[in-house]
Amino acid sequence: MFIFVGCTGGGSSSLFCQKITQHVNEEDQNLTAVALDGFTAMAKHKAYGDKYDLIFVYGGINALSASSTFEFGQLFDVVFVAPQVRYLTKEKIRLLADYPTVVQDIPPKIFGMMDGQQAYADLLNQLIELDYQRGYQSTIHSASKAADKNMEILVINGNADGRLFTQFFDYLSELGIRPIAEKFSLEGLFDFQPQADFDIRFLFGNSETLNKTYMQKISRRIDSVILPLSLQFPFTEEKAWLKDYQIPYLLVSQQDFYRNDFTQINQLFLTMLIQAGFKTEFTSELQVNYLETEELKKRKTFLGIFSWE
């Protein structure tokens, strides 16, 4: 079970998690526990999940934001909100409403004592109850590219108001397919409130949108990418990343951007949408961390409280 404990900046939640895991490992022969920072937990969740029963992850509660909601919803069974930031609980519940993760305030008595033995005794019953609650929610909610949204296409260096895309949007509308166009942002990708119903969302970004930092997040939602065919900017690395993350892409030449007859390019775009839709519908969510191969290093400790790799 992955448990996130969020406070203001991560300091008090770190101490809390360390105290609890220390008690679990010393006193409970049936369970193993570890305390991690959020970055390590996200990067090596498979390795830690295989080795430990309880993984306590500490950090600032605002690590859970619109752009990180998918990762939190996929990884964490429970998000505990520390007493000093419980005014943010409703916002975090809203962010994770479509995921089976349970969000709950951690009782001030449990958090404030910083007594590992008493905190664990009180927390264990609560975790058991929350696990049942999460099991019920997981039969209702699904968080995958195939099931939780309509199709989303990322367009690099394109103009939503240009002739190429306005003509294509009109063409889709004639087919009964409702497109919408928006400027790309990570926040908008994961947390948006459409003003009207739609079938396909086109997100327009620049060349810097496809970077190594964004790729994991983009792969969670984007079904296909439209790239300009350019000798000045060949997108060599970017195409390799898209291939690794199994995101189909279409190269569009400069000639296509300035065509007078859009019949051919419309058909090309439509074929791309059909292929992307088929791939999304019949494949489960890609676990982008499958590239993780690093084994866990022996953990070091300081005074039996703080630990690191």
Side-chain angles (χ1 to χ4, degrees):
M1 175 181 272
F2 280 83
I3 303 144
F4 182 79
V5 181
C7 62
T8 304
S12 58
S13 60
S14 170
L15 183 59
F16 178 77
C17 291
Q18 298 286 354
K19 288 285 190 179
I20 288 183
T21 55
Q22 182 182 11
H23 173 75
V24 173
N25 292 325
E26 290 177 354
E27 304 296 336
D28 196 327
Q29 297 180 353
N30 298 314
L31 295 173
T32 57
V34 66
L36 304 172
D37 63 274
F39 179 82
T40 303
M42 290 288 184
K44 302 179 181 179
H45 66 91
K46 289 183 181 180
Y48 281 102
D50 290 342
K51 186 173 181 180
Y52 296 95
D53 300 303
L54 298 173
I55 299 95
F56 290 91
V57 181
Y58 51 83
I61 190 60
N62 284 324
L64 169 55
S65 64
S67 62
S68 64
T69 298
F70 188 96
E71 285 85 349
F72 267 75
Q74 291 289 294
L75 179 59
F76 291 106
D77 302 279
V78 179
V79 170
F80 276 129
V81 183
Q84 63 266 40
V85 288
R86 59 186 174 188
Y87 64 92
L88 295 171
T89 302
K90 288 185 178 179
E91 176 193 344
K92 306 310 177 184
I93 290 175
R94 182 189 68 80
L95 287 174
L96 288 168
D98 293 329
Y99 299 85
T101 306
V102 177
V103 181
Q104 194 167 100
D105 291 331
I106 191 167
K109 176 185 175 183
I110 294 178
F111 193 81
M113 291 177 66
M114 289 293 172
D115 182 328
Q117 182 175 0
Q118 186 61 47
Y120 177 63
D122 291 340
L123 195 61
L124 186 58
N125 289 332
Q126 194 172 8
L127 288 175
I128 293 172
E129 181 181 340
L130 292 177
D131 197 34
Y132 279 117
Q133 183 181 343
R134 184 183 188 276
Y136 170 74
Q137 288 187 199
S138 65
T139 64
I140 301 173
H141 299 296
S142 178
S144 69
K145 279 204 284 193
D148 71 342
K149 66 179 184 61
N150 294 331
M151 187 177 293
E152 292 175 306
I153 308 297
L154 176 61
V155 183
I156 300 298
N157 291 348
N159 181 5
D161 298 321
R163 292 187 62 202
L164 174 64
F165 285 100
T166 54
Q167 291 277 349
F168 182 56
F169 294 159
D170 290 341
Y171 175 63
L172 290 177
S173 298
E174 291 174 3
L175 297 176
I177 300 172
R178 300 162 299 179
I180 62 170
E182 298 178 2
K183 184 178 179 180
F184 173 85
S185 71
L186 279 182
E187 290 73 15
L189 180 63
F190 285 91
D191 184 29
F192 74 105
Q193 302 296 326
Q195 300 301 311
D197 290 338
F198 71 97
D199 298 303
I200 303 175
R201 181 162 66 137
F202 290 84
L203 296 164
F204 289 80
N206 56 32
S207 301
E208 296 177 355
T209 300
L210 289 179
N211 62 65
K212 207 164 187 177
T213 302
Y214 281 8
M215 278 307 302
Q216 286 193 3
K217 295 181 181 296
I218 287 174
S219 71
R220 305 294 193 184
R221 301 288 299 188
I222 293 298
D223 300 286
S224 188
V225 176
I226 297 175
L227 288 169
L229 185 61
S230 171
L231 294 177
Q232 290 78 16
F233 204 112
F235 292 100
T236 304
E237 275 191 322
E238 290 79 358
K239 288 186 288 188
W241 294 336
L242 292 172
K243 184 177 180 181
D244 286 341
Y245 287 106
Q246 301 180 20
I247 303 174
Y249 63 87
L250 175 68
L251 293 173
V252 180
S253 68
Q254 291 294 320
Q255 290 179 338
D256 288 325
F257 276 96
Y258 298 103
R259 285 180 182 272
N260 292 320
D261 180 5
F262 290 92
T263 304
Q264 184 176 350
I265 191 66
N266 283 348
Q267 288 298 317
L268 186 63
F269 279 169
L270 187 60
T271 300
M272 174 205 68
L273 295 180
I274 292 171
Q275 292 174 344
F278 182 88
K279 181 178 179 61
T280 300
E281 183 175 356
F282 292 99
T283 58
S284 60
E285 168 64 28
L286 174 65
Q287 298 298 324
V288 297
N289 289 313
Y290 78 95
L291 297 174
E292 175 194 341
T293 57
E294 183 178 355
E295 296 182 358
L296 296 182
K297 300 176 182 178
K298 185 176 180 180
R299 295 183 64 79
K300 303 174 184 178
T301 61
F302 177 69
L303 299 179
I305 298 177
F306 300 101
S307 63
W308 68 96
E309 291 186 354

